[in-house]
Amino acid sequence: MSASYRFTHAITRAPSASIVQGLRAVDIGVPDLSLMQAHHADYITALRSTGAQVVELDALDAFPDSVFVEDTALCLPQGAIVMRPGAPSRLGEAAEMTPHLKALYGDVRAIAGGQSFIEGGDILTTETEILVGRSARTNAAGIAELAALVADWGLPVREVFTPPGVLHFKTDCSLLDGETILSTERLAASGCFEGYRVIHVAQGEEACANSIRFNDLVIMPAGFPKTRAALEKAGYRLREVGNSECAKLDGGMSCLSLRFTPKV
Ligand code: CIR
């Protein structure tokens, strides 16, 4: 079983010039658009190198954070669920994604409840379950609505918690294979990964916990040598991509794509 990390497709969206107005928890500098574009191109090259088809969407100036497409949808083999982002400036991004999902999927559903908020960055799909971290962007109503929407697709939803001060659940963890999760110690300490094998990111390298397993590659942000060495030792094939500019906006490897194998 490997449906949780073997994918035929990905969707990305080009960063827009308005990215300088993107949301951030702490101001650590203005993102450089041309460097971000170069990193983004490297990221797409890495996805394509695994044989996947990558749909590259045009930049959306009206939505500064729209390069972070992961937050707009949950894509499973059976269908896609359009999210309802908890950041008011990002709500409209979900509607922008809907037609692209409908072009690839026969079954597209949507979080619709007025009080429901949920962002894809809070969702980690494994072979056996969908973990959703409650966070400043994802509330209990959003998680309950998601659970009802996917009830007939066979994977149960389990509500967990994103650590305080951390943007998304997957800011602090990634799926490495069907049984293994890369995690910060602070997140794994909550006990949410019981039953999985956990590899901790190295001390001081917490920012690389947001990596992705995409087909045969683990794509991780550049500049985290201790964690990279540990993952190579564990047998994973690594590819590094620069993330300095997205990191200024609390974004990482998972945020930059939707990854899926649609059943049409
Ligand atoms: C935001 O605050 O919404 C963006 N600046 C970053 C979103 C990162 N997305 C993700 O982790 N899935």
Side-chain angles (χ1 to χ4, degrees), residues 23 65 68 70-71 90 119 121 137 167-168 171 249-251 254-255:
L23 299 171
D65 285 293
F68 303 118
E70 170 176 69
D71 295 316
R90 302 200 60 194
E119 297 191 356
R137 301 285 182 85
L167 176 59
H168 286 130
T171 304
L249 301 172
D250 310 318
S254 77
C255 326

Side-chain angles (χ1 to χ4, degrees), residues 174-259:
S174 323
L175 189 83
L176 290 173
D177 59 38
E179 300 80 43
T180 315
I181 286 165
L182 176 68
S183 177
T184 61
E185 289 201 23
R186 69 185 164 202
L187 177 58
S190 72
C192 62
F193 299 131
E194 210 173 300
Y196 293 91
R197 179 167 78 117
V198 175
I199 297 181
H200 289 131
V201 297
Q203 286 281 338
E205 294 192 350
E206 285 72 17
C208 73
N210 184 273
S211 294
I212 53 169
R213 174 71 189 268
F214 190 78
N215 297 323
D216 289 337
L217 286 182
V218 172
I219 305 176
M220 67 181 293
F224 300 94
K226 292 186 205 145
T227 306
R228 178 183 174 136
L231 292 176
E232 280 176 332
K233 197 163 167 227
Y236 296 102
R237 254 184 76 201
L238 271 294
R239 181 73 58 86
E240 287 190 358
V241 173
N243 191 54
S244 56
E245 305 317 293
C246 288
K248 291 173 184 167
L249 301 172
D250 310 318
M253 296 295 107
S254 77
C255 326
L256 295 172
S257 60
L258 289 167
R259 304 164 292 280

Side-chain angles (χ1 to χ4, degrees), residues 2 48 148 250:
S2 52
R48 283 213 172 104
D250 310 318

Side-chain angles (χ1 to χ4, degrees), residues 85-103:
S89 67
R90 302 200 60 194
L91 252 182
E93 290 177 35
E96 294 283 349
M97 186 56 71
T98 305
H100 305 291
L101 295 169
K102 286 190 170 161

